[in-house]
Amino acid sequence: RFLLVASLFLYSIYFPFHLFNIVIVTFITFKLTQKEKAFHTFLAVGINCLHLFFYKYHEIFFPESRLFLSPQFDLIIPIGISFYTFQNLSYIFDLHRKKASPYENCYDYLLYISFFPQLVAGPIVRAGFFLSQWKNRRKIGKAHLLGGLERIIHGLFLKLVVADNLAEFVNNNWENAYFIENGAELPLCLIIAFGCQ
Protein backbone atom coordinates (compact mmCIF):
# COMPACT_ATOMS: atom_id res chain seq x y z
CA ARG A 1 0.00 0.00 0.00
CA PHE A 2 2.89 2.36 0.76
CA LEU A 3 4.26 2.04 -2.80
CA LEU A 4 0.83 2.77 -4.25
CA VAL A 5 0.33 5.88 -2.10
CA ALA A 6 3.87 7.10 -2.87
CA SER A 7 3.39 6.51 -6.60
CA LEU A 8 0.08 8.36 -6.72
CA PHE A 9 1.45 11.20 -4.59
CA LEU A 10 4.45 11.69 -6.88
CA TYR A 11 2.20 11.51 -9.92
CA SER A 12 -0.09 14.22 -8.53
CA ILE A 13 2.62 16.73 -7.56
CA TYR A 14 2.69 18.56 -10.89
CA PHE A 15 -1.08 18.79 -11.43
CA PRO A 16 -3.24 17.07 -8.77
CA PHE A 17 -6.33 16.85 -11.00
CA HIS A 18 -4.50 14.36 -13.27
CA LEU A 19 -4.62 11.85 -10.45
CA PHE A 20 -8.29 11.33 -11.35
CA ASN A 21 -7.32 10.52 -14.95
CA ILE A 22 -4.96 7.68 -14.14
CA VAL A 23 -7.14 6.27 -11.34
CA ILE A 24 -10.42 6.34 -13.30
CA VAL A 25 -8.98 4.94 -16.55
CA THR A 26 -7.12 2.23 -14.63
CA PHE A 27 -10.19 1.33 -12.58
CA ILE A 28 -12.39 1.09 -15.68
CA THR A 29 -9.78 -1.04 -17.44
CA PHE A 30 -9.48 -3.32 -14.42
CA LYS A 31 -13.27 -3.79 -14.15
CA LEU A 32 -13.73 -4.43 -17.88
CA THR A 33 -10.90 -6.98 -18.01
CA GLN A 34 -12.51 -8.98 -15.18
CA LYS A 35 -15.13 -10.10 -17.69
CA GLU A 36 -13.77 -12.41 -20.38
CA LYS A 37 -15.92 -11.19 -23.26
CA ALA A 38 -14.81 -9.72 -26.57
CA PHE A 39 -17.14 -6.74 -26.15
CA HIS A 40 -15.55 -5.78 -22.81
CA THR A 41 -12.06 -6.14 -24.29
CA PHE A 42 -13.02 -3.94 -27.23
CA LEU A 43 -14.59 -1.39 -24.87
CA ALA A 44 -11.48 -1.29 -22.64
CA VAL A 45 -9.23 -0.71 -25.67
CA GLY A 46 -11.58 1.99 -26.97
CA ILE A 47 -11.74 3.88 -23.67
CA ASN A 48 -7.96 3.90 -23.31
CA CYS A 49 -7.43 5.04 -26.90
CA LEU A 50 -10.09 7.76 -26.65
CA HIS A 51 -8.54 9.01 -23.41
CA LEU A 52 -5.12 9.27 -25.08
CA PHE A 53 -6.47 10.83 -28.29
CA PHE A 54 -8.50 13.41 -26.40
CA TYR A 55 -5.48 14.80 -24.57
CA LYS A 56 -2.82 14.44 -27.25
CA TYR A 57 -4.71 14.91 -30.51
CA HIS A 58 -7.78 17.03 -29.72
CA GLU A 59 -6.43 19.89 -31.86
CA ILE A 60 -6.19 17.59 -34.90
CA PHE A 61 -9.68 16.14 -34.52
CA PHE A 62 -11.36 19.41 -33.50
CA PRO A 63 -9.35 22.18 -35.22
CA GLU A 64 -12.26 24.61 -35.36
CA SER A 65 -13.63 24.00 -31.87
CA ARG A 66 -14.19 27.25 -29.96
CA LEU A 67 -13.77 25.43 -26.66
CA PHE A 68 -10.20 24.35 -27.41
CA LEU A 69 -9.25 27.68 -29.02
CA SER A 70 -10.41 29.82 -26.12
CA PRO A 71 -7.66 31.21 -23.84
CA GLN A 72 -9.59 30.07 -20.75
CA PHE A 73 -9.35 26.45 -21.86
CA ASP A 74 -5.78 25.36 -21.26
CA LEU A 75 -5.62 21.59 -21.63
CA ILE A 76 -2.61 20.28 -19.72
CA ILE A 77 -1.51 16.85 -20.90
CA PRO A 78 -1.13 14.40 -17.99
CA ILE A 79 2.39 13.24 -17.22
CA GLY A 80 3.03 9.76 -18.60
CA ILE A 81 -0.32 9.50 -20.36
CA SER A 82 1.15 7.56 -23.28
CA PHE A 83 2.98 5.23 -20.93
CA TYR A 84 0.06 4.34 -18.70
CA THR A 85 -2.29 4.03 -21.69
CA PHE A 86 0.07 1.59 -23.43
CA GLN A 87 0.63 -0.23 -20.14
CA ASN A 88 -3.16 -0.67 -19.84
CA LEU A 89 -3.35 -1.82 -23.46
CA SER A 90 -0.50 -4.27 -22.93
CA TYR A 91 -2.37 -5.80 -19.99
CA ILE A 92 -5.62 -6.02 -21.99
CA PHE A 93 -3.90 -7.76 -24.91
CA ASP A 94 -1.95 -10.13 -22.65
CA LEU A 95 -5.19 -11.20 -20.95
CA HIS A 96 -6.94 -11.62 -24.29
CA ARG A 97 -4.09 -13.82 -25.60
CA LYS A 98 -3.94 -15.75 -22.30
CA LYS A 99 -0.34 -14.66 -21.74
CA ALA A 100 -1.08 -13.27 -18.28
CA SER A 101 -3.43 -14.02 -15.45
CA PRO A 102 -5.70 -11.22 -14.23
CA TYR A 103 -4.83 -9.21 -11.16
CA GLU A 104 -6.86 -10.23 -8.12
CA ASN A 105 -7.55 -6.74 -6.81
CA CYS A 106 -7.59 -3.20 -8.11
CA TYR A 107 -4.89 -1.97 -5.70
CA ASP A 108 -2.23 -4.26 -7.16
CA TYR A 109 -3.30 -3.36 -10.68
CA LEU A 110 -3.20 0.37 -9.93
CA LEU A 111 0.31 -0.06 -8.54
CA TYR A 112 1.31 -1.92 -11.71
CA ILE A 113 0.07 1.01 -13.82
CA SER A 114 1.26 3.91 -11.63
CA PHE A 115 4.55 2.52 -10.27
CA PHE A 116 6.60 5.74 -10.15
CA PRO A 117 10.10 4.52 -11.15
CA GLN A 118 8.80 3.55 -14.59
CA LEU A 119 5.77 5.81 -15.06
CA VAL A 120 7.54 8.62 -16.90
CA ALA A 121 10.54 6.88 -18.46
CA GLY A 122 9.25 3.34 -18.99
CA PRO A 123 9.75 0.68 -20.13
CA ILE A 124 6.36 -0.94 -20.51
CA VAL A 125 6.46 -4.04 -18.31
CA ARG A 126 4.40 -7.16 -18.84
CA ALA A 127 1.77 -7.72 -16.17
CA GLY A 128 2.98 -11.21 -15.23
CA PHE A 129 6.58 -10.08 -14.86
CA PHE A 130 5.68 -7.17 -12.59
CA LEU A 131 3.38 -9.31 -10.43
CA SER A 132 6.03 -12.00 -9.96
CA GLN A 133 8.59 -9.37 -8.95
CA TRP A 134 6.10 -7.71 -6.62
CA LYS A 135 4.93 -10.87 -4.89
CA ASN A 136 8.38 -12.42 -4.32
CA ARG A 137 9.84 -10.60 -1.33
CA ARG A 138 13.63 -10.32 -1.18
CA LYS A 139 15.94 -10.05 1.76
CA ILE A 140 18.42 -7.21 1.45
CA GLY A 141 21.94 -8.20 2.36
CA LYS A 142 25.41 -6.77 2.19
CA ALA A 143 25.92 -8.07 -1.36
CA HIS A 144 22.79 -6.25 -2.56
CA LEU A 145 23.84 -2.96 -0.97
CA LEU A 146 27.38 -3.18 -2.38
CA GLY A 147 26.04 -4.14 -5.82
CA GLY A 148 23.67 -1.17 -5.79
CA LEU A 149 26.43 1.19 -4.67
CA GLU A 150 28.69 -0.13 -7.43
CA ARG A 151 26.00 0.54 -10.05
CA ILE A 152 25.43 4.06 -8.75
CA ILE A 153 29.16 4.88 -8.86
CA HIS A 154 29.46 3.35 -12.33
CA GLY A 155 26.50 5.41 -13.56
CA LEU A 156 27.89 8.62 -12.07
CA PHE A 157 31.26 7.95 -13.70
CA LEU A 158 29.66 7.43 -17.11
CA LYS A 159 27.56 10.59 -16.74
CA LEU A 160 30.02 12.99 -15.10
CA VAL A 161 33.29 11.86 -16.65
CA VAL A 162 32.43 10.32 -20.03
CA ALA A 163 29.14 11.89 -21.20
CA ASP A 164 29.71 15.43 -19.92
CA ASN A 165 33.20 15.66 -21.48
CA LEU A 166 31.95 14.27 -24.78
CA ALA A 167 29.06 16.77 -24.68
CA GLU A 168 31.50 19.65 -24.40
CA PHE A 169 33.42 18.41 -27.46
CA VAL A 170 30.23 17.85 -29.47
CA ASN A 171 28.65 21.19 -28.55
CA ASN A 172 31.80 23.19 -29.30
CA ASN A 173 32.36 21.62 -32.73
CA TRP A 174 28.84 20.92 -34.01
CA GLU A 175 28.52 24.13 -36.03
CA ASN A 176 31.91 23.58 -37.70
CA ALA A 177 30.83 20.19 -39.03
CA TYR A 178 28.69 21.82 -41.74
CA PHE A 179 31.62 23.45 -43.54
CA ILE A 180 33.01 21.33 -46.35
CA GLU A 181 36.58 22.59 -45.83
CA ASN A 182 36.70 20.75 -42.49
CA GLY A 183 36.49 17.44 -44.34
CA ALA A 184 34.55 14.33 -43.42
CA GLU A 185 36.61 13.45 -40.36
CA LEU A 186 35.02 16.03 -38.05
CA PRO A 187 31.38 15.07 -38.77
CA LEU A 188 32.28 11.39 -38.41
CA CYS A 189 33.98 12.01 -35.06
CA LEU A 190 31.04 14.10 -33.90
CA ILE A 191 28.54 11.40 -34.84
CA ILE A 192 30.51 8.78 -32.91
CA ALA A 193 31.03 11.12 -29.93
CA PHE A 194 27.35 12.05 -29.86
CA GLY A 195 26.36 8.37 -29.96
CA CYS A 196 28.71 7.59 -27.08
CA GLN A 197 27.44 10.59 -25.16
Side-chain angles (χ1 to χ4, degrees), residues 3-168:
L3 281 176
L4 177 59
V5 170
S7 296
L8 293 176
F9 173 74
L10 288 172
Y11 183 79
S12 67
I13 285 176
Y14 176 67
F15 193 67
F17 180 75
H18 287 159
L19 187 60
F20 293 108
N21 281 328
I22 191 170
V23 170
I24 290 170
V25 170
T26 302
F27 180 75
I28 291 171
T29 303
F30 175 77
K31 285 298 183 185
L32 288 173
T33 53
Q34 296 295 299
K35 303 169 177 74
E36 296 182 9
K37 293 185 178 177
F39 173 73
H40 292 104
T41 301
F42 180 77
L43 191 59
V45 170
I47 287 171
N48 277 278
C49 290
L50 283 173
H51 176 68
L52 178 67
F53 290 151
F54 173 74
Y55 275 99
K56 291 199 112 174
Y57 307 111
H58 64 274
E59 292 175 352
I60 295 171
F61 291 108
F62 307 104
E64 303 297 323
S65 174
R66 291 181 182 173
L67 175 65
F68 296 129
L69 292 175
S70 81
Q72 292 85 10
F73 187 87
D74 188 16
L75 190 62
I76 300 171
I77 298 174
I79 296 171
I81 186 172
S82 297
F83 172 79
Y84 72 74
T85 301
F86 292 134
Q87 186 102 327
N88 272 324
L89 291 173
S90 169
Y91 176 71
I92 294 166
F93 295 142
D94 280 352
L95 285 181
H96 184 70
R97 295 178 186 149
K98 310 283 190 227
K99 291 188 175 180
S101 55
Y103 277 80
E104 294 173 6
N105 61 62
C106 194
Y107 297 111
D108 289 344
Y109 182 65
L110 186 56
L111 176 63
Y112 161 66
I113 297 298
S114 65
F115 190 53
F116 66 88
Q118 66 186 24
L119 180 62
V120 178
I124 293 174
V125 177
R126 296 284 187 200
F129 179 76
F130 183 82
L131 188 60
S132 67
Q133 295 288 314
W134 166 240
K135 293 294 182 186
N136 296 331
R137 302 290 180 180
R138 296 182 185 178
K139 292 182 179 177
I140 299 175
K142 186 178 178 181
H144 292 102
L145 293 174
L146 291 176
L149 186 62
E150 181 184 335
R151 288 182 178 184
I152 290 170
I153 292 170
H154 184 249
L156 285 172
F157 171 79
L158 289 176
K159 168 68 174 94
L160 298 174
V161 176
V162 178
D164 287 354
N165 287 316
L166 285 173
E168 189 174 333

